[in-house]
Amino acid sequence: SAETYLDISSWDLACEFNNTDHRTDLNGVGRLIVRRGQAFTINLQLQSGAYDAQAHSLCFIVEAGPEPLEESGTRAEFCVSDSIDDTCWSAMVTSPPGDTLCVSISSAPDAAIGRYTLTLDQHGYKINLGEFVLLFNPWCPRDSVYMDDEEALKEYVLAQDGIIYMGDHNYQLPMAWDFGQFEEEILDACLRILDVNPKCQKNQAEDCSARRNPIYVTRVISAMINCNDDNGVLMGRWQEPYEGGVKPMLWRSSVGILRQWCRESCSAVRFGQCWVFAAVACSVSRALGIPCRVITNYLSAHDTNQNLVIERYVNEKGEPEKRTRDSIWNFHCWVESWMTRPDLPSGYDGWQASDPTPQEKSEGVFCCGPVSVKAIKQGELSFKYDAGFVFAEVNADVQTIMRLPDGSTRDVISPAIVGQKISTKSVGSDHREDITHLYKYPEGSDEERETFKKAEHLNKLQQHKDVGLDLTIKLGDSLRKGCDFDVFALAKNNTSKNKRCRLLLASRAVSYSGVIGGDCGYKDLLNVDLPPGGGEKVPLRLNYNKYADALTQDNLIRLAALLIDYSNGDTVLSVRNVVLDNPEIKIKILGEPKEHRKLAAEITVQNPLPVPISSCCFSLEGANLTGGRTITERLQTTVEPGQEAKVKVYFTPTHSGLRKLLVDFDSDKLCHVKGFRNVIIGK
């Protein structure tokens, strides 16, 4: 009879209330965005009559993807009951009798993430109530990405900016990055990444169902951030020319990259390098609700033939020769995502490393991970995914071979320790957190030996021979770009014999991925006498006018010292990178920072070079500060040595809270100078 139907005149998905409750309100409150395993509320307006639990049957249907099926986790049908069941889709009425009916709906904690339709069903009389987006929920104990730490969640899910470490292992350089996962269009871009991934193109229903699992989603993200096999987001390029695209060093934010990819029908954005790939993967993971952080590994090995050994060839000057595809990167970035691993033996939950930079294929596709960081530490190289590759990045052994002009080779003793100072931004502050201990046991410990045995890392188990000669490179104090400065080779004889040696000290520009550039200065001493227990300190002057044109975007100079013992041919190599300091960008905030109120920043940079600079350009951006856009200001004048370039820039913050204002300075001779400042925006 007619009485069993509720007469509903209108309904409201209470987007503002629900999104705020589900911590998705930064995405905006124009549509319903909720996290799985947590209840949300909808309001049904009744035309006449009142709800009676005995008389009325109220059911709901939720559906995702092209072929919604109960067994795939992409469809559920459930009726209003007396209480919420937090293990599955369920609903209950929460309002007293009246003309508004409030219904609380809870999603299953393992439901597939993505776009859903919500339908009200009364005995076959159906009303489409609209759409909503469902995300992973790290606040829900039953969700596989659950993280029991409120401060960590603020950092790894909600923080829209962060710090990525560059430079080198002696000098970690913090660079601020705008992840911008809540900026307009970004969530849709992330859902689109899932929709255009090849697995989805091949079998849409299967792919939608697999989106219940963060392991699967993370692997898809790792494959889709690079464009090597698919319509991925970024194209990598590691050396000039960068025509037809943006130099990787110029990106400061994931927002422009993801928007451009979407607007240009999923054609790859040019160009990325490892920190850009990692940063965009971090933005996408956080947007979808997976706790995520960017990791930097210094002296990172790229082992192509999976023997856990990096073979480095040098010529008789100690300069690298490209003889193998193996390499050691000055630093390399990837991401870690937080989740359980029911597919592995117990004990391997927590941080999982995955790497969106295209290096080697995994199951036929350029992707890497997720692999349990604990599995890397334990040397469990058979665990999926790609444990062997990541283990080598932090543990490979290095063998240096010198190729002489006559074609013969000799082994060179060179202490190169792979996997140093593994770094990430610490929770709630701008300090660097060293997480090397999460990836490896202390050098020389029993546990380290056990791990290497398990990993069959035979090379690291054989100790290298000691020839009694020590060679190190020391740096002077200030290594500022624009200055001339000295570097030193220190040679020491630890034997009881007199040693007559040849000492070479060479400097070349280098990129962070190890590509060698132009010559920056060279010294070759044919007769260095080292008495027993004695040493020699040899300086090399690096002049600005010599290194200026050789430098790459990374501001790195590679120093190589080579010591050859004439009596027996023993050869020792020491390599060290110098990171040249750019000048500091000074950022002064004028006025009281409040949301929706125009704010000014005064920005100055001093020209440290002995020559004038021109074509000066400042650019600014920051999550919730510049509306997801980059603001640029150009100077018409040249700036003389020692003088300051200065601009005043206006912007209007959109949200209160602690925000990072990111500033870039570029000119003809001084490029990619980066700075940032924390700004607290009041309500």
Side-chain angles (χ1 to χ4, degrees), residues 144 214-215 218 290-293 295 334-344 347-355 368-376 383-385 390 439:
S144 47
I215 303 168
T218 298
I290 302 172
C292 190
R293 61 188 187 181
I295 303 300
W334 58 77
V335 291
E336 288 176 359
S337 308
W338 181 269
M339 65 194 72
T340 58
R341 288 302 296 261
D343 57 332
L344 298 177
Y348 294 96
D349 297 342
W351 290 116
Q352 312 292 321
S354 68
D355 189 350
C368 177
V371 56
S372 162
V373 172
K374 288 177 185 156
I376 301 301
F383 283 9
K384 50 190 194 200
Y385 291 87
V390 180
Y439 280 86

Side-chain angles (χ1 to χ4, degrees), residues 165-178:
Y165 291 91
M166 302 171 78
D168 91 323
H169 70 289
N170 295 307
Y171 188 80
Q172 306 93 27
L173 213 56
M175 178 183 75
W177 189 272
D178 169 14

Side-chain angles (χ1 to χ4, degrees), residues 650-671:
Y650 294 92
F651 57 97
T652 307
T654 53
H655 290 80
S656 60
L658 178 64
R659 303 281 174 238
K660 280 185 171 46
L661 182 64
L662 281 46
V663 180
D664 244 28
F665 173 78
D666 236 9
S667 66
D668 61 339
K669 296 192 176 64
L670 185 65
C671 315

Side-chain angles (χ1 to χ4, degrees), residues 20 30 66 79-80 118 134 202 236 263 277 374 401 418 439 462 472 514 530 547 576 621 643 663 669 676-677:
T20 305
C79 296
V80 166
L118 177 63
L134 189 67
K202 201 173 139 200
R263 286 172 187 169
F277 287 110
K374 288 177 185 156
I401 300 147
V418 159
Y439 280 86
Q462 298 154 359
T472 51
L530 299 173
Y547 69 71
R576 179 160 186 179
E621 57 192 299
Q643 297 298 300
V663 180
K669 296 192 176 64
F676 72 92
R677 171 159 184 166

